[in-house]
Amino acid sequence: MTNSANISLLLILVAVALAAIGFMLRPTATTAAQDVPLPIAPPDAAAGLAIYNERCSVCHGELGDGLGVQAVQAGLEPAAFSNPSYRVTAVPATMFDVINNGNISAGMPPFGSASSSPLNDADIWNLVALAYSFSTRPDDIAAGEALAAELEADTTTWPGLDYWFGRSNEAILAELESENILSIDVSGLSDEEKLWLIDYGRSLNYSYTDPLAAFAPVPLGIINGQVINGTTNEALTEGEVRLRAFTTQLEEMYTETVSINEDGSFEFQLEDVPADWVFLADVTYGDLTFNSNAVQLSNAQPEAQMPLFVFETTADPAAITIDRLHMIFTFGEERLIVSELYVFSNREAAVFVGESGDFNQGTVEIGLPTGAENISFQRGFGTSLDSFIPATDFIRTETGWADVNPLQPGAGSLNLIVNYDLPYNDGMLLAHPLAYQVTSGATVIMADAGVQIADERWVSQGEQATAGGSFVSYVNNDLANADAISLTLDGRPSQIFDAQGNALPVRNETNELIVGGAALAGMLAVGFFLVQRWRTAPVGQGSAGSVSQPAAAPPRPVSANRSQKHDLLEAIADLDDAYDAGELDEAAYQTQRQALKSRLTAVWQS
């Protein structure tokens, strides 16, 4: 069984089943649904937008374009409210009915009384008003208002709520051909002009909002901040700050450099800023480049503060601790396949550059057992297991292996998976050095396949069963002063896997999926999910001279999803710099950038 197959054991339970999806409100020209209570007051599209962002955008998309992440993943095609044609054919009462009662065949759950968190009638009508707001642009309403004034229309005589929310615009347009609904002569108007009047008339019966306004370009954006030395708490008084902008497709669209002022401050002023741009700033201090947090601008928040922290360096390994160490064991044909998860912290307010003082000669050291083969490393970007990507920049040292990326200050500043395998028959001693203090013990997880850990220091947590199999786990809390980890495995495995990760038929029927799920479940039980960090920003892969720093001091928590976006963008920026500087060849650059891009795309849509 390959190491890559073994890693799948760490990931199998991370995928979360899609929640109820759909919301496929297909417009129709039929009559209104029966028994739908008409609104008793003008619906409020702004109130509907708040509900939409919380419960509907996952399918219909933030832009109302029907491209929400869950709909895309499920292969569904929900209604695109922002399509101007939607407002023509949509029937308000039918929309109300589908939101209220759902349409399971189309993937649309009910949001009315059958929902576990039901919306009331007013909420649903507010969503209907929002759907019209998506497809009705402000210019169309303004054009209708101007035309009504030109025709000297008396809008007080126009129909009320029951009329506008019982008919589609298409039906009203047809009625205008034979009925004097608006008390004006529309015979000389084009269909487009009549629809302007209809848009205006409908807008008089609900509180319109423009849900796309937040995504419009920002006329004038300001990004400012201060550069602080996080080691000395003093402002950096000279140097330059570089600002770069990326699209969500990772295209670099903009770069600008300004000088740092005497008080450490800097400021960028930007015109017509696209709403999807993500900004990163960096500053070079000594031999290292320090990144800011990532920010976005919007019309609601056209100004953003972007503090930058730099740090002095340290070569003292006493600053480094191992806060988590978890080991996954599976068995192949006369092989033991091992995956070890480390969470490293840097307890000093300085960047750790390795004991030599030159990060190119190695920073964080990793010990491996004698005879380890098929060695590989994966660096984590975020707090979830599926955020790990290959790390190809580790080097061999006299004592084992080492990273070449400086380690930033902070808790959980490096998440690392180490993979290797060893010969195995019916028992062995597994031991390797520990370069740093272990602060919270270690855990071993493996399938319940007849192999045990014989050492008394490893305390069995017993057998834990799942629907399709079982696993065992062991904990060793006596590693605080240990300079090595060791354990004795005893027994011949009754369950092994081939190179593709498939259980061989001569063993029991428990397969990798079961073991993987059980292993991860066990890790969850022993606190496998990584510590919440005040800044999860591992160094950009492939750029040994780049360190990402916390966005503010003192430490503060950030959301996992937001933090992953920031970390991955910083890693991509660092990788681009390393390639431009000639530190990576084309093949390695493209491979690593694609891995980072794929991960960021997944995070961005989650």
Side-chain angles (χ1 to χ4, degrees):
M1 178 174 170
T2 63
N3 280 326
S4 61
N6 190 32
I7 284 303
S8 67
L9 306 187
L10 295 175
L11 309 179
I12 193 68
L13 290 186
V14 173
V16 178
L18 291 178
I21 56 179
F23 199 69
M24 298 182 66
L25 297 183
R26 291 298 181 191
T28 174
T30 60
T31 58
Q34 298 296 316
D35 301 324
V36 169
L38 291 173
I40 59 176
D44 184 351
L49 181 59
I51 299 171
Y52 179 89
N53 287 335
E54 179 181 352
R55 304 184 65 173
C56 311
S57 62
V58 291
C59 283
H60 288 282
E62 291 182 337
L63 300 176
D65 53 9
L67 297 177
V69 59
Q70 289 189 2
V72 172
Q73 290 175 346
L76 299 176
E77 297 181 0
F81 301 134
S82 56
N83 187 331
S85 64
Y86 182 83
R87 78 187 197 279
V88 177
T89 57
V91 179
T94 301
M95 297 161 67
F96 181 100
D97 182 66
V98 175
I99 298 172
N100 186 42
N101 298 313
N103 183 1
I104 299 302
S105 64
M108 168 70 181
F111 287 89
S113 58
S115 170
S116 60
S117 180
L119 300 176
N120 59 38
D121 290 352
D123 290 334
I124 296 176
W125 280 119
N126 290 341
L127 284 172
V128 173
L130 177 70
Y132 276 107
S133 293
F134 267 118
S135 57
T136 306
R137 305 314 306 136
D139 290 346
D140 294 329
I141 295 175
E145 182 178 12
L147 184 56
E150 180 183 337
L151 297 175
E152 298 181 351
D154 181 3
T155 58
T156 63
T157 65
W158 288 11
L161 284 172
D162 57 344
Y163 180 85
W164 296 100
F165 285 93
R167 293 165 174 80
S168 68
N169 286 4
E170 186 176 52
I172 298 172
L173 182 63
E175 291 179 11
L176 285 177
E177 297 297 323
S178 59
E179 301 180 36
N180 190 15
I181 299 167
L182 304 180
S183 302
I184 54 176
D185 182 9
V186 298
S187 60
L189 302 181
S190 67
D191 283 352
E192 181 181 28
E193 290 172 321
K194 293 175 184 176
L195 284 171
W196 288 345
L197 289 172
I198 293 172
D199 288 333
Y200 174 52
R202 188 178 293 279
S203 73
L204 297 176
N205 290 272
Y206 73 95
S207 297
Y208 176 84
T209 192
D210 184 2
L212 301 181
F215 303 97
V218 180
L220 177 63
I222 297 176
I223 295 176
N224 53 37
Q226 187 179 32
V227 185
I228 299 294
N229 186 318
T231 304
T232 65
N233 288 322
E234 298 176 346
L236 199 66
T237 59
E238 59 182 8
E240 294 182 331
V241 174
R242 179 179 60 168
L243 181 69
R244 289 189 284 178
F246 298 84
T247 68
T248 53
Q249 288 74 42
L250 310 183
E251 297 178 77
E252 185 173 340
M253 305 300 295
Y254 167 89
T255 183
E256 182 181 354
T257 301
V258 298
S259 297
I260 299 172
N261 298 321
E262 292 183 357
D263 61 353
S265 65
F266 61 91
E267 181 173 287
F268 297 90
Q269 294 190 7
L270 309 96
E271 296 181 352
D272 297 324
V273 182
D276 68 336
W277 280 11
V278 181
F279 291 92
L280 285 173
D282 60 61
V283 60
T284 298
Y285 182 70
D287 295 330
L288 302 176
T289 298
F290 296 83
N291 291 300
S292 71
N293 204 338
V295 301
Q296 284 185 279
L297 301 177
S298 67
N299 285 288
Q301 294 182 319
E303 184 172 344
Q305 291 193 337
M306 184 179 274
L308 270 165
F309 285 83
V310 301
F311 291 88
E312 304 298 328
T313 60
T314 180
D316 184 5
I320 311 306
T321 59
I322 301 171
D323 290 348
R324 294 286 188 275
L325 175 54
H326 300 289
M327 308 170 74
I328 297 287
F329 293 167
T330 53
F331 297 92
E333 192 73 47
E334 299 183 350
R335 309 294 294 178
L336 171 67
I337 301 97
V338 181
S339 292
E340 299 181 356
L341 171 70
Y342 291 85
V343 177
F344 291 97
S345 294
N346 179 358
R347 303 296 179 179
E348 191 170 335
V351 176
F352 179 65
V353 292
E355 293 187 59
S356 70
D358 179 2
F359 52 77
N360 290 306
Q361 296 183 27
T363 56
V364 176
E365 297 184 5
I366 301 295
L368 290 176
T370 301
E373 300 176 349
N374 299 317
I375 300 165
S376 65
F377 303 91
Q378 291 176 283
R379 185 177 288 111
F381 293 86
T383 56
S384 64
L385 294 178
D386 62 345
S387 67
F388 286 83
I389 65 172
T392 59
D393 46 2
F394 277 68
I395 61 173
R396 291 294 301 265
T397 67
E398 293 181 358
T399 57
W401 291 79
D403 197 353
V404 294
N405 289 310
L407 184 63
Q408 67 175 26
S413 48
L414 173 61
N415 304 322
L416 186 70
I417 291 177
V418 183
N419 310 298
Y420 59 89
D421 58 71
L422 295 161
Y424 187 86
N425 188 7
D426 56 6
M428 68 174 299
L429 172 66
L430 187 155
H432 66 69
L434 293 171
Y436 312 103
Q437 180 185 10
V438 179
T439 62
S440 61
T443 303
V444 170
I445 309 285
M446 60 183 171
D448 185 13
V451 179
Q452 298 178 337
I453 296 179
D455 304 75
E456 292 183 357
R457 293 168 299 175
W458 291 88
V459 180
S460 174
Q461 306 302 295
E463 176 183 329
Q464 300 182 51
T466 67
S470 59
F471 66 95
V472 292
S473 62
Y474 294 81
V475 174
N476 184 342
N477 290 317
D478 189 25
L479 294 172
N481 298 311
D483 58 6
I485 190 168
S486 66
L487 56 90
T488 301
L489 292 173
D490 183 28
R492 186 174 183 84
S494 59
Q495 178 186 64
I496 63 174
F497 302 94
D498 62 18
Q500 287 72 45
N502 300 309
L504 298 180
V506 296
R507 310 297 179 182
N508 66 47
E509 73 275 9
T510 306
N511 59 26
E512 181 192 6
L513 178 64
I514 296 169
V515 177
L520 184 54
M523 287 194 168
L524 290 172
V526 297
F528 175 75
F529 277 123
L530 311 180
V531 292
Q532 179 64 42
R533 291 165 291 157
W534 53 271
R535 181 75 178 102
T536 54
V539 176
Q541 185 170 330
S543 178
S546 177
V547 178
S548 299
Q549 299 307 331
R556 59 182 177 83
V558 295
S559 71
N561 195 47
R562 178 185 176 196
S563 178
Q564 288 183 55
K565 293 178 186 177
H566 299 166
D567 300 342
L568 289 163
L569 276 169
E570 290 166 3
I572 290 167
D574 292 340
L575 189 67
D576 291 343
D577 285 344
Y579 177 68
D580 292 340
E583 299 174 14
L584 289 173
D585 60 33
E586 177 73 21
Y589 169 68
Q590 294 296 342
T591 298
Q592 295 181 33
R593 199 177 198 280
Q594 184 57 45
L596 287 166
K597 181 177 178 180
S598 298
R599 178 60 199 145
L600 180 58
T601 299
V603 172
W604 217 286
Q605 294 177 338
S606 64

